[in-house]
Amino acid sequence: MNTTRCDRTPAWRALQTLFDTAGRAFDVREAFAADPKRFGAFSQSAPHIFADLSKNLIDEATQTLLLDLAQQSGLQSHREAMFAGEKINNTEHRAVMHWLLRNPPLALMNKGREDIQNVANELTEVHATLDAMLAYAEVVRADAAITDVVNIGIGGSDLGPQMAVLALDEYVTPGKRFHFVSNVDGHELAAVLKKVKVESTLFLIASKTFTTIETMTNAHSAKAWFDAKGGTNVARHFAALTTNVAAANAFGISTTFGFWDWVGGRYSVWSAIGLPLAMAIGAQGFREFLAGAHDMDEHFRTAPLAQNLPVRLGLLDVWYRNFHKFTSRSVAPYHCALKRYPAYLQQLEMESNGKQVDAHGEALPYGTSPVIWGEPGTNGQHAYFQMLHQGTDVVPVEFVAVKKAKHSLPGHHTLLLANVLAQAQALMLGKADAGGHKNFPGNRPSSFLLLDELSPTTLGALIALQEHRVFVSGSLWGINSFDQWGVELGKVLAKEVQARLGSGDATGLDGSTAGLLAKLRT
Ligand code: F6P
């Protein structure tokens, strides 16, 4: 792998000059006036997704230099290393192969992927596990006596399946309810346990490591509830989704579906962690979800950089973060079923790219992950869009719109689509007002992702697109996007504080924590 940190390339310096001379003052309205072909030049078709990038603060010269930046940083070499199964997660000495989970079996693959031979054994294991998991999902779907599936997991073991089950609600088999318990706050599990019955509930304990304290605490409480209510058949009512099958067995769970250390938690919805989704939409639906993602993998792996949607999005992210110095991106899915999509993307991008050192541990002189936030439209319009239109900070917005609705209520969908178009338009065009209060500055950038419908296939493609755009920015920044050391300190301290909450011992504590500890104990 031959990579160079973005700030050590000639293109980086050229981009800084371009930004200082023309980029800072770029006006997208003028760019449209000067170039009637702008929409075509700055839009990109990718599998199952059309992207309009033309409302961004970018022109041909900037795009060319950003593509040079990608070349000079060795993006292609890094991408090839990932797809060849090299251990690019250097701090954990692991390969990064979530893409392999959606790869067709070797026998069904087209020729021309010699590098796949490096991971042929892993691919065989992937399909053996996938077949077993989907067969189990179908058994549970056919079992009318199981009415409630409770997924206990957190982070990647919760956000992916939860987001996808909600998003694909229209495809969910009637007769089964899906619950997601992630928080160690007992209110969450208690509320679910009030609604379910021992004989009709299946608990899925989802944890890559099978050590995460929140998940283990909830799993033990669920098991204690099951025992107290007279439950006996643990094999029927508990299954574990984990890379640590031995720990699941030690917990007393014999029905297990495994995955591998080369699947990061936030990239694991395609693995056994996706079992709730498979149970919800069926084996065929889950295979379509994988196929949509695989189509995007192939696009990312093979399309020239200039026509590669994850690359174009990732380059825009670098342009905004490091030259315009925008610190956040708002995501606005105009589909109410995508309500957990922003939360899902928060983990995907912020846990991957929220880093202050490069892959060699050297401090970075530039910003990395932006803050990702948002709500489905149109709700966000009546909450924080005020700030997006008239606030002092510029926040790029990424809209998602879906052409066809799955309901037949007259008028609603046209109104929804009118709103998403109007918001993007208003951000860009603005409106002058001499009085000031009604002045919209405009020139506020947005991207627009358009799906034909929200289906397993298109959702798979959308999520894979987001994974790869995070790879692109992380790669240029020279960071390891696949570790997450930043979550460790809090975990260690929580254990220590837990003991102090019991004993009241404040020796050596900082003044604030000691004061709060005393308050909590009285
Ligand atoms: O603490 C962060 C994290 O490790 C995430 O990366 C992960 O998705 C989550 O915890 C849950 O981990 P596990 O699946 O091992 O329980």
Side-chain angles (χ1 to χ4, degrees), residues 154-157 206-210 212 215 265-266 347 351 484 487 491:
I154 197 165
S157 300
S207 175
K208 178 177 171 180
T209 54
F210 225 77
T212 304
T215 301
R266 53 194 174 274
Q347 187 196 17
E351 200 174 67
Q484 56 285 315
V487 301
K491 288 185 192 174

Side-chain angles (χ1 to χ4, degrees), residues 53-213:
L53 309 179
S54 65
K55 294 194 191 78
N56 284 292
L57 308 180
I58 183 171
D59 58 9
E60 289 289 354
T62 316
Q63 175 141 298
T64 303
L65 278 182
L66 285 169
L67 290 165
D68 290 349
L69 184 70
Q71 296 268 9
Q72 292 169 15
S73 302
L75 173 65
Q76 286 130 306
S77 156
H78 196 198
R79 181 184 60 183
E80 276 159 28
M82 176 172 77
F83 282 109
E86 286 178 31
K87 296 194 171 172
I88 60 170
N89 174 353
N90 66 320
T91 63
E92 296 179 310
H93 313 291
R94 291 177 183 167
V96 172
M97 297 204 292
H98 45 278
W99 54 271
L100 194 71
L101 300 166
R102 50 238 189 178
N103 207 93
L106 260 188
L108 298 184
M109 279 186 68
N110 297 330
K111 299 269 172 277
R113 278 293 313 269
E114 283 70 30
D115 56 352
I116 205 82
Q117 297 300 338
N118 301 342
V119 290
N121 293 341
E122 286 86 345
L123 185 56
T124 306
E125 279 184 44
V126 161
H127 281 281
T129 308
L130 176 64
D131 292 346
M133 147 189 166
L134 294 185
Y136 176 68
E138 286 300 331
V139 168
V140 172
R141 279 161 64 78
D143 186 343
I146 297 290
T147 56
D148 292 87
V149 177
V150 180
N151 190 77
I152 295 182
I154 197 165
S157 300
D158 164 65
L159 288 163
Q162 187 186 165
M163 175 276 296
V165 168
L166 285 168
L168 298 175
D169 184 54
E170 284 294 326
Y171 294 78
V172 175
T173 315
K176 299 243 186 289
R177 286 177 294 267
F178 291 86
H179 312 269
F180 290 86
V181 175
S182 52
N183 205 318
V184 75
D185 179 348
H187 292 105
E188 191 169 45
L189 178 61
V192 171
L193 294 180
K194 266 190 220 159
K195 292 186 211 151
V196 300
K197 294 198 170 64
V198 163
E199 60 280 9
S200 54
T201 301
L202 170 63
F203 290 98
L204 300 177
I205 312 303
S207 175
K208 178 177 171 180
T209 54
F210 225 77
T211 57
T212 304
I213 190 79

